[in-house]
Amino acid sequence: MINEKMLALGSKRSIIREIFEYCKARAAEIGADKVFDFSIGNPSVEPPKEIAEAINELIKNESPVLLHGYTSAQGDAGVRRAIADDINAKFGAGVDANSIYMTCGAAASLTISLRALLNAGEECIVFAPFFTEYRVFIENAGGRVVISTPMERTFQIDISDFESKITENTKAVIVNSPNNPSGVVYSEETIKALCAVLEKKQKEYGHPIYLIADEPYRELVYGDVKVPYLMNYYANTVVCYSYSKALSLPGERIGYIAVSPKMENSTQVYLAVCGAGRSLGYVCAPSLFQHVIKKALGAKVDVNIYKENRDILYNALTEYGYECVQPDGAFYLFVKALESDAYKFYERAKSKEILVVPCDDFGVSGYVRIAYCVDKQRIVNALPAFKALAEEYKK
Ligand code: PLP
């Protein structure tokens, strides 16, 4: 008998992937320009030029054995040192090379961290709306998912709901800001309140509760919005970082885990991360891209391109009567469906060739997610269809 749980996971794609696959098939049928695909968070902005320059320089000047060979299981020491220096320069967090574990992106960072921190049956709190794969990652680590419901309309964390969800069995909490799917950035005030609750509950229950900061969108913020660096607010923090969105490199599978040196048992947690990476087969993240990242540290994508998309979409949709959460970061617009069943709304939008994602699996019903990491022209072309859809509901 094969593993039934894995069979079930493999047989049913995530709703995002399901819709994305539909979009590809539909585009082949009627033409890509007629399908308004807003399903997936695939960055539309080019990687910064420093990436191609780094690849070219490395290939020209470095030995193929270095570039394509194994690194240490936890990543090349020089790369980890450079990343630690970069984190310290930005946030003064005091990490060193032995706080960093190189990974294949945020999905691997999360999978490894959860496996390192959770024992069977322990609880991990997630804040709705949350990235759908958290459930898969937590359950695969043997943990139980506990959902904290957000504040109405702002979708900030509801601190009293959060406090009520913590039990003796709570081992970890995942915070994702800027958030997928709401685009909300949790304010410093919210983060301070959250950390105060965690400190209190750790004392009450006499064991650590770990804060996992899932940060693939950290750099994608608009205006002067600040994203608090969680290690500086709470000692028991593990940062799960990825260059997928920040540098538009999702296909290269590169990121890292940073274990806060301020945590009491940081060496043991780091070793457990190494052990989890080993047990899951996530050792030696792609070598070439480890070295590319080292060379291109500090490079940035042009966030203004996403901001322009956000402004066009948000302004038009609110004018047509949609209720949207104004995103401060990431590249998603969280929109209240025009009927209570988001799935029915999705079907109706689909009949106008608009493909958005119903958010029930993200832990909030009655909302859809629009991924606006697409060419601006697609948004402009889709606006009449969004308008017609809103008008249909007014009739
Ligand atoms: N976490 C969040 C919140 C995401 O939105 C994503 C991808 O969309 C991931 C993690 C996984 O990112 P990666 O492609 O780096 O594995």
Side-chain angles (χ1 to χ4, degrees), residues 160-268:
S160 55
D161 181 82
F162 168 57
E163 184 160 1
S164 75
K165 298 287 164 61
I166 302 179
T167 71
E168 202 170 4
N169 223 6
T170 306
K171 190 60 166 299
V173 174
I174 304 180
V175 169
N176 168 225
S177 173
N179 181 267
N180 173 10
S182 69
V184 165
V185 173
Y186 298 137
S187 67
E188 188 183 31
E189 195 190 344
T190 300
I191 294 302
K192 282 185 173 163
L194 173 118
C195 295
V197 169
L198 284 171
E199 295 286 5
K200 186 172 100 181
K201 291 289 177 179
Q202 289 192 135
K203 276 205 192 98
E204 186 179 328
Y205 294 126
H207 65 75
I209 302 177
Y210 295 98
L211 184 55
I212 299 176
D214 179 24
E215 307 213 316
Y217 302 98
R218 162 166 285 281
E219 279 76 25
L220 307 187
V221 283
Y222 308 125
D224 55 4
V225 172
K226 296 269 176 305
V227 185
Y229 197 64
L230 298 191
M231 264 189 205
N232 291 340
Y233 293 81
Y234 186 69
N236 285 333
T237 296
V238 173
V239 174
C240 290
Y241 190 80
S242 161
Y243 296 96
S244 296
K245 320 283 175 167
L247 294 181
S248 295
L249 297 172
E252 304 302 347
R253 314 308 302 138
I254 191 79
Y256 64 79
I257 296 166
V259 174
S260 174
K262 291 177 201 132
M263 102 182 27
E264 219 176 275
N265 56 347
S266 66
T267 306
Q268 276 161 309

Side-chain angles (χ1 to χ4, degrees), residues 16 19-20 23 35-42 309 313 317 331-333 349 352-358 368-383 385-386:
I16 302 170
I19 299 170
F20 180 57
C23 288
V35 182
F36 308 125
D37 176 5
F38 298 105
S39 62
I40 201 162
N42 208 5
N309 285 359
L313 198 59
L317 264 57
F331 37 50
Y332 306 106
L333 191 62
K352 299 207 170 323
E353 309 299 346
I354 301 173
L355 279 309
V356 296
V357 177
V368 294
R369 184 190 82 169
I370 302 178
Y372 57 82
C373 43
V374 297
D375 188 58
K376 181 172 89 180
Q377 203 52 45
R378 185 182 302 170
I379 297 176
V380 172
N381 292 347
L383 292 183
F386 275 113

